Amino acid sequence: MKNKNSKKNKNLNKNKEFGQTKNSAKLVLFIFGLGPIIGIIIFLFSKGFFNSPSM
């Protein structure tokens, strides 16, 4: 029993050393997931993609 607990503690310490927490993982996914989408939308707005065509 004692051996299993020590392995878990070592894994938790490794995760904390590298800054791998649930919040940081969510932040990275948010930035890399929504960042390109927002960038594409800004690019399309700058090129006039969302303007109605004039005849």
Side-chain angles (χ1 to χ4, degrees):
M1 286 294 225
K2 188 175 184 181
N3 194 12
K4 288 183 181 179
N5 288 337
S6 66
K7 285 183 182 178
K8 286 182 183 178
N9 288 337
K10 286 180 184 177
N11 287 337
L12 288 175
N13 289 337
K14 286 182 183 178
N15 287 343
K16 287 181 182 178
E17 286 177 14
F18 294 112
Q20 296 174 348
T21 62
K22 289 183 180 180
N23 289 336
S24 64
K26 287 179 184 178
L27 180 65
V28 168
L29 288 174
F30 180 76
I31 290 171
F32 287 104
L34 290 181
I37 294 171
I38 293 170
I40 290 169
I41 290 172
I42 291 172
F43 174 77
L44 291 175
F45 262 115
S46 70
K47 298 296 179 183
F49 181 79
F50 294 107
N51 294 338
S52 61
S54 58
M55 295 185 137

